[in-house]
Amino acid sequence: MSEVSVQLDKGLTETDDILVRAREALRILGTPTVVPKNLAVTAPSKLKWKTAAEPDASKATVSRSSNTPLVYTLFCALMILSGLGLVWNGNQVFGPEMYAENGLAPAASAFEQGENYAVFDLNLNIRRLRDIHFSRMTKTPDLVVLGASQWQEAGHDLVKDLKFYNSHVHRDYWQDMLGVSEILVRNHRLPKRMIISLRDNLFTPISARTDYLWETGIPYYQDMADRIGVEKETSWTSLPYQRVKQLFSISMLFDNVTRWYNANELPHASAARQFETLDTLLPDGSIVWSKKHMKLFTQERSKKEALAFAEKRLNDPPKVEARGLEAIDKLLSYLKSQGVTVYLAQTPFNPIFYDRVQGSAYADGLVKIDTLVHGLAAKHGLQVIGGYNPHKVGCVASMYIDAEHANATCLKKIFDQFSALDRAQGGK
């Protein structure tokens, strides 16, 4: 350390007093307060006395000390905000299909080229994908399905002589029926025929929902609500709380980063339909399970899943929000005014689940939902295809991977009903 020269007040002759004043002067100047033992102290030839105009050292100390908590608080706040920003950005980088605004643009680009797109997980921002995909379509489909993931394995080969698009979204609610319809309208891709699937939990109020995937479709739903004159949810109840929570989740970031760096394959476009560990999104909106998933979907597992789900639902009947029912009613009127022929649909449950819940509160609630669906059909002059009862549709337990997700063999039976009705109406 270089030597330091300090001017001292008159009369300081003791070594201890000199060092005390030296440390105080250095501290006020912002210099480290530790004074080495070999500090050189020189007394000036002309002593400088402290005047009233000069700041008092003790007061400077108090002022500097009083600012310290504020500076520390601001520093901590800045560090926390920076950390949250890194987590937010990290989840978008390592989970783009779910969290990045244009994370599914590569998938839409692949579809434009007639290719498929492999992904880690099917629980992605599929509502955003639908918007991007429809915006890039050059031709309007002849038939579009609106519904939940129960339709996910329905490909274009199930419908003959029609250009078919499967616009299912995961965990749909009544807002999604409006939202996906809005995507079709705003992209000028409203088809002549639509199959709108009304599942058991479609009308569940927001307060009773336990999942949040629907939140990504809120902007689309709000626009269609304005279009058809439906009262919207309040800003407070429709804020995407859970989605924001996931974006700021450190555990989610850890999972995303771990998955990314441990993966044998990363999401990519390909002409192949099936992969070892990645599920596949197809240009017609349907999906193909990975080989790894297909090995898991045994009949033993399917039965176990169906029975476990039944136990949860026995005393938990479907809930109906009147506003949701009114919204679907107005949506059907709007689509009719646009020249769209609508078919209402119900997807059948796994027979193991369906038989187990008979005689329960849930079964009674399902009958009420069925009555509502047929009531809407009668009011608007529509046909109902499919059904919740698998025995009537002709689907057996071996066609399911769990309580409610059937394969293409079962779903084809519903499309056969559609085709017969469509032909009877002259294919209008």
Side-chain angles (χ1 to χ4, degrees), residues 131-171:
D131 189 14
I132 298 174
H133 192 188
F134 277 116
S135 71
R136 299 186 182 188
M137 281 186 183
T138 57
K139 293 183 179 180
T140 300
D142 299 314
L143 171 66
V144 172
V145 164
L146 271 63
S149 56
Q150 286 90 332
W151 293 90
Q152 61 192 0
E153 294 194 49
H156 66 88
D157 56 325
L158 299 184
V159 185
K160 294 181 179 180
D161 304 322
L162 292 178
K163 180 178 174 56
F164 166 67
Y165 187 80
N166 184 345
S167 192
H168 76 275
V169 296
H170 298 181
R171 305 291 179 85

Side-chain angles (χ1 to χ4, degrees), residues 97-98 101 104 122-134 147-149 165 167-177 179-180 183 187 199 209 211-221:
E97 293 85 12
M98 174 59 91
E101 177 67 16
L104 285 162
L122 294 176
N123 287 319
L124 40 76
N125 189 354
I126 199 167
R127 293 153 178 84
R128 175 61 176 157
L129 173 60
R130 299 299 180 225
D131 189 14
I132 298 174
H133 192 188
F134 277 116
S149 56
Y165 187 80
S167 192
H168 76 275
V169 296
H170 298 181
R171 305 291 179 85
D172 72 331
Y173 292 100
W174 62 266
Q175 288 92 344
D176 285 309
M177 297 297 102
V180 178
I183 290 172
N187 290 300
R199 71 182 181 110
R209 297 175 190 176
D211 52 78
Y212 69 94
L213 293 178
W214 71 278
E215 291 182 347
T216 61
I218 289 174
Y220 306 118
Y221 140 70

Side-chain angles (χ1 to χ4, degrees), residues 50-65:
K50 183 171 62 177
T51 65
E54 290 181 284
D56 185 79
S58 62
K59 291 182 179 179
T61 302
V62 172
S63 176
R64 183 179 181 87
S65 176

